[in-house]
């Protein structure tokens, strides 16, 4: 189980967090990138005055990982959509992924990220 958790990019007592992430979901996404062969993204960097979970400056793709705990409710919903508009205005394609999507449908998530990365090249 520990090995599977590490493959998925989850924190375990045997493998302390080494990445500049802020959550297990962000850890999961970095593991996901490695699993699907995506280039390593920048982590928690500023784009257009917004701190973005993951980004690739060239080809201008941003990925936001959204947990229900921090992205539920009307205000979070509106804030997330405002961020998307601002990022798109800055020329970025935005992909939003949830914990459930990444753990239950990783191939579908990989297709979305690959499409965003490939469309911009």
């Amino acid at each position: 189980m520990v090995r599977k958790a590490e493959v998925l990019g989850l924190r375990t007592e045997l493998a302390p967090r080494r990445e500049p992430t802020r959550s297990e979901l962000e850890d999961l996404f970095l593991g996901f990138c490695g699993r699907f062969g995506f280039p390593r993204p920048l982590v928690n960097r500023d784009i257009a005055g917004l701190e973005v979970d993951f980004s690739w400056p060239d080809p201008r793709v941003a990925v936001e990982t959204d947990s229900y705990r921090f992205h539920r409710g009307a205000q979070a919903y509106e804030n997330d959509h405002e961020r998307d508009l601002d990022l798109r205005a800055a020329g970025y394609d935005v992909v939003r992924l949830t914990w459930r999507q990444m753990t239950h449908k990783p191939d579908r998530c990989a297709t979305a990220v690959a499409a965003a990365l490939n469309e911009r090249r």
Side-chain angles (χ1 to χ4, degrees):
M1 287 176 37
V2 170
R3 183 173 179 178
K4 184 172 184 172
E6 289 173 346
V7 167
L8 291 172
L10 301 174
R11 241 183 338 172
T12 67
E13 293 302 316
L14 300 176
R17 180 178 287 162
R18 290 171 283 157
E19 309 298 342
T21 61
R22 296 174 305 188
S23 69
E24 287 186 38
L25 181 54
E26 289 183 359
D27 292 344
L28 178 68
F29 184 75
L30 286 178
F32 165 89
C33 287
R35 176 179 170 196
F36 286 96
F38 296 124
R40 183 175 172 80
L42 299 178
V43 181
N44 295 316
R45 297 291 177 92
D46 183 272
I47 299 172
L50 302 167
E51 187 173 309
V52 176
D53 295 339
F54 301 98
S55 60
W56 290 270
D58 181 27
R60 300 180 76 82
V61 172
V63 172
E64 294 281 61
T65 52
D66 299 340
S67 67
Y68 183 74
R69 179 178 180 196
F70 295 107
H71 293 266
R72 67 178 167 202
Q75 190 61 56
Y77 179 85
E78 292 298 327
N79 290 347
D80 288 344
H81 285 79
E82 286 291 323
R83 289 174 61 84
D84 290 354
L85 289 175
D86 291 340
L87 290 168
R88 286 188 180 100
Y92 276 76
D93 193 2
V94 182
V95 177
R96 286 192 172 274
L97 301 173
T98 67
W99 179 276
R100 181 174 293 278
Q101 288 171 325
M102 293 195 59
T103 57
H104 289 82
K105 298 179 181 181
D107 292 334
R108 185 174 184 199
C109 294
T111 298
V113 172
L117 291 172
N118 289 328
E119 285 177 7
R120 305 296 235 147
R121 288 186 181 179

